[in-house]
Amino acid sequence: MREKNGKRILATVLAIMMLVTLVPVSAMADNEGTAEKPWKGVADGETVYLQEAKGRELIKLDSAVVTNGSFVFNGRQDAAVNRYLTYQAEGKRMMTDFFLENGNILVAMGETTTVTGTPNNDIYQAYKQEAGALNKEMRALYEKSKEEGLTEEQNAEIEKQFEELDGKLNTLTFNTIDANITNPVGIHLWPGNSYSMELPQLQALAAKVPAEYQSNERIASLLKRIEVLAKTSVGQKFTDFEMPTPDGKTLKLSDVIAKNKYTLIDFWASWCGPCRREMPNVVAAYKAYNKKGFGIVGVSLDSDAEAWKKAIKDLGMTWEHMSDVKGWQCEGAALYGVNSIPATVLVAQDGTIIERNLRGEAIAEKLKELLK
């Protein structure tokens, strides 16, 4: 069995394939990749693929054929790496990621999937089980929120419960990464979950990353972003940039900041649903405080100029706007470490950053405090 680069894989992967129910560990006969009996719903002769994630694509590295309800990959791996197992039959696709590492890895795939048997997989499995349980509760609340006839009090209670669960999930994720930042589990989990962390948390984790992982492409990118966030955090001076306006002129951020007591840099895009839902709050704050010295400059992460211009008109965004129309490659967004939108930066006239990521009613509340 070989990787794309020709290196021999160093692990034994034993997986019992099922379509419906979870294979109990007691069903394993031994460590040689055999099971006591075929499992109901498994189609012998079907193929299981070992795959690697490259961006948003899965690249096939190797395959194994289901025999007597089970399949086996044998090999060696120099270092633990995150990989995927996929299986498709009768229009159903099962997929799970795991850590390919030395040892006997037991994978039971079905409506519930478990991966156990080696250190990194045991840690990862424990996290996924806890996170999965919290996500299940959050999905149930979301479905409940769509029911008709709910009162304001009921909606408020659902939102409160959802936020509490989200907080628990964020805490679980941070604690898991913090406890494992020196091993492949923490290194794998951190980049994809960094968006929910505050700068001090990110800096604390960055200080613990071993040198051997700092050249990892995803980690190196995140460490660079943390440096940018530190330079543009509350209390720091803003970073200036200029971009084209909707009418083709050039607008400089410093020119907008200089003429307002406080300026909100609003990173958004016409295609961003949360941005559009948030916009009424921004519009309301602008109408209430513009005459008192509050200004806004919209920085769009659009790649379609016409869609950008149409959204400005449709959403009633009567302030100044700029965009290089490069989508997620927006140079202004990169200067502020923006990797999710909507995102805001509130800057005082002297160039000091006052707040980051004000949302909803918090925008008006902050302006009421500042512009008395």
Side-chain angles (χ1 to χ4, degrees):
M1 175 170 75
R2 295 184 179 273
E3 289 266 16
K4 190 176 182 181
N5 61 10
K7 287 177 61 180
R8 221 172 124 60
I9 292 177
L10 294 188
T12 298
V13 179
L14 165 66
I16 302 300
M17 294 302 304
M18 318 207 2
L19 293 178
V20 182
T21 58
L22 178 65
V23 178
V25 175
S26 60
M28 304 296 182
D30 51 44
N31 289 328
E32 299 302 322
T34 61
E36 293 178 351
K37 61 181 181 180
W39 291 93
K40 183 178 180 181
V42 174
D44 280 4
E46 296 287 353
T47 302
V48 178
Y49 293 99
L50 175 67
Q51 298 185 287
E52 176 183 7
K54 289 287 188 180
R56 295 188 177 185
E57 295 184 11
L58 288 178
I59 309 301
K60 293 177 182 176
L61 303 174
D62 205 349
S63 62
V65 177
V66 178
T67 304
N68 295 325
S70 67
F71 63 86
V72 180
F73 288 105
N74 289 297
R76 290 184 173 278
Q77 177 65 31
D78 293 326
V81 289
N82 188 259
R83 295 290 182 260
Y84 285 79
L85 287 173
T86 62
Y87 173 84
Q88 185 166 345
E90 298 179 355
K92 295 181 179 180
R93 186 184 188 191
M94 290 184 290
M95 177 174 66
T96 189
D97 71 320
F98 71 107
F99 286 91
L100 190 60
E101 60 184 336
N102 289 337
N104 291 330
I105 304 171
L106 309 181
V107 182
M109 297 176 68
E111 289 185 357
T112 303
T113 299
T114 61
V115 184
T116 57
T118 56
N120 287 303
N121 283 303
D122 289 345
I123 295 168
Y124 195 41
Q125 179 66 40
Y127 167 73
K128 290 208 290 187
Q129 285 183 330
E130 288 190 62
L134 289 169
N135 275 312
K136 184 177 180 180
E137 289 186 66
M138 292 168 72
R139 284 195 298 272
L141 283 173
Y142 173 71
E143 291 301 323
K144 187 176 181 180
S145 71
K146 296 192 295 183
E147 294 177 2
E148 295 183 3
L150 294 175
T151 65
E152 289 187 13
E153 291 76 13
Q154 288 174 320
N155 280 318
E157 180 60 27
I158 289 173
E159 184 175 351
K160 177 183 176 182
Q161 291 178 26
F162 191 93
E163 290 178 354
E164 289 176 354
L165 289 169
D166 189 49
K168 288 181 180 179
L169 180 58
N170 288 339
T171 298
L172 168 67
T173 300
F174 176 79
N175 289 342
T176 299
I177 295 170
D178 187 42
N180 294 282
I181 196 63
T182 58
N183 67 47
V185 177
I187 294 299
H188 173 70
L189 284 173
W190 189 27
N193 291 283
S194 61
Y195 67 92
S196 64
M197 297 178 186
E198 299 295 333
L199 180 59
Q201 292 178 305
L202 293 171
Q203 291 174 319
L205 292 173
K208 298 179 182 180
V209 176
E212 64 187 284
Y213 292 120
Q214 291 184 15
S215 60
N216 175 290
E217 183 178 351
R218 296 171 73 221
I219 294 299
S221 177
L222 178 53
L223 293 176
K224 182 178 179 180
R225 177 172 172 262
I226 293 170
E227 291 181 4
V228 171
L229 288 173
K231 291 178 182 178
T232 57
S233 61
V234 174
Q236 300 296 315
K237 293 294 183 179
F238 82 103
T239 300
D240 201 9
F241 62 88
E242 60 182 38
M243 284 183 183
T245 62
D247 59 5
K249 297 179 182 179
T250 298
L251 179 64
K252 198 169 185 178
L253 178 61
S254 54
D255 290 340
V256 182
I257 290 173
K259 64 184 181 182
N260 296 301
K261 292 181 180 178
Y262 295 95
T263 299
L264 188 74
I265 311 171
D266 184 21
F267 296 94
W268 72 290
S270 67
W271 47 259
C272 169
C275 299
R276 298 182 79 103
R277 290 192 292 272
E278 175 69 12
M279 205 55 68
N281 294 313
V282 184
V283 170
Y286 184 72
K287 288 180 178 179
Y289 292 96
N290 176 238
K291 292 182 179 180
K292 294 183 178 181
F294 173 57
I296 301 176
V297 56
V299 182
S300 170
L301 276 69
D302 273 284
S303 56
D304 183 332
E306 293 308 311
W308 167 43
K309 295 173 187 178
K310 184 177 185 300
I312 291 172
K313 181 179 179 180
D314 291 348
L315 297 172
M317 303 163 69
T318 56
W319 47 85
E320 294 177 279
H321 294 272
M322 62 168 81
S323 178
D324 53 13
V325 200
K326 294 181 179 179
W328 280 111
Q329 303 307 311
C330 174
E331 294 178 12
L335 290 172
Y336 283 81
V338 173
N339 68 346
S340 65
I341 52 177
T344 61
V345 181
L346 184 64
V347 184
Q349 196 166 34
D350 67 358
T352 303
I353 296 174
I354 302 299
E355 289 285 356
R356 288 198 59 148
N357 294 322
L358 287 170
R359 300 275 182 84
E361 296 178 0
I363 300 173
E365 290 173 0
K366 188 65 180 181
L367 292 173
K368 183 178 180 180
E369 171 192 328
L370 295 170
L371 298 169
K372 298 177 180 179

